[in-house]
Amino acid sequence: MSYKSINSRVKHKTDTTANWNAAIGFIPLKGEIIVYSDRYSKTESGVTTYEPGIKIGTGNAYVQDLTFIGDKEAKDLLDHIRNTSIHTSETEKTFWNDKLNVNDEQEVHGETLLFNRN
C-alpha cells in the first residue's frame, strides 16, 4: 500500500455583489458556500471592518434566488470552521503529512493513530 501526501486548501466561491449579480444561470451545488466579499461593513470605534455575506447552495436555486444566512448563522459557521477541537489544525496537518511522506514508498503495518486533545 502506498501513501501519498495531499497538501490542499479549500477556497469558497468568493466575489463581489456586482459579479454575483452578473452570474445569471449559476446554480451553486447543495451545501456549497457562496461569499459576497463586499456585502456590508460594520464600524466600531472608528474602525471599519468588512463582513462578507454568505449564501449556501441548495443545488436547485440560482445564486440570486438564495437568501443570505443571518449574522448568527454566519458567526456559527465561521466558529465551526475554525474549531480545532473537531477539525485538524495546521500543525496537525503538517505532522501527519510529514509522517505520510516518510512512508511514501513503504507499507505501514501495525501502527495505530491516537488522537489526544488537551
Side-chain angles (χ1 to χ4, degrees):
M1 179 180 294
S2 178
Y3 294 92
K4 298 288 181 190
S5 175
I6 300 173
N7 294 316
S8 65
R9 293 174 61 179
V10 175
K11 183 177 186 304
H12 299 292
K13 294 188 181 313
T14 304
D15 216 329
T16 63
T17 301
N19 288 338
W20 282 122
N21 290 342
I24 304 298
F26 175 65
I27 298 176
L29 300 172
K30 184 175 182 178
E32 186 172 23
I33 296 173
I34 306 300
V35 180
Y36 284 64
S37 59
D38 61 349
R39 179 69 177 147
Y40 61 91
S41 64
K42 291 183 178 180
T43 302
E44 294 179 20
S45 305
V47 177
T48 301
T49 58
Y50 293 93
E51 302 282 340
I54 298 173
K55 294 183 177 184
I56 298 178
T58 60
N60 59 8
Y62 295 109
V63 69
Q64 293 86 356
D65 296 335
L66 296 170
T67 58
F68 288 98
I69 63 173
D71 286 344
K72 182 186 180 323
E73 291 84 0
K75 181 186 178 312
D76 290 347
L77 176 63
L78 292 173
D79 287 347
H80 172 78
I81 290 169
R82 294 176 183 140
N83 185 341
T84 58
S85 67
I86 58 174
H87 296 288
T88 307
S89 70
E90 288 301 318
T91 302
E92 291 169 319
K93 288 177 195 173
T94 300
F95 172 80
W96 289 111
N97 281 336
D98 289 347
K99 186 169 182 64
L100 289 174
N101 285 335
V102 167
N103 294 310
D104 193 29
E105 299 300 325
Q106 308 168 36
E107 287 192 28
V108 178
H109 299 282
E111 286 198 28
T112 303
L113 302 179
L114 299 175
F115 295 93
N116 187 9
R117 300 257 184 212
N118 296 327

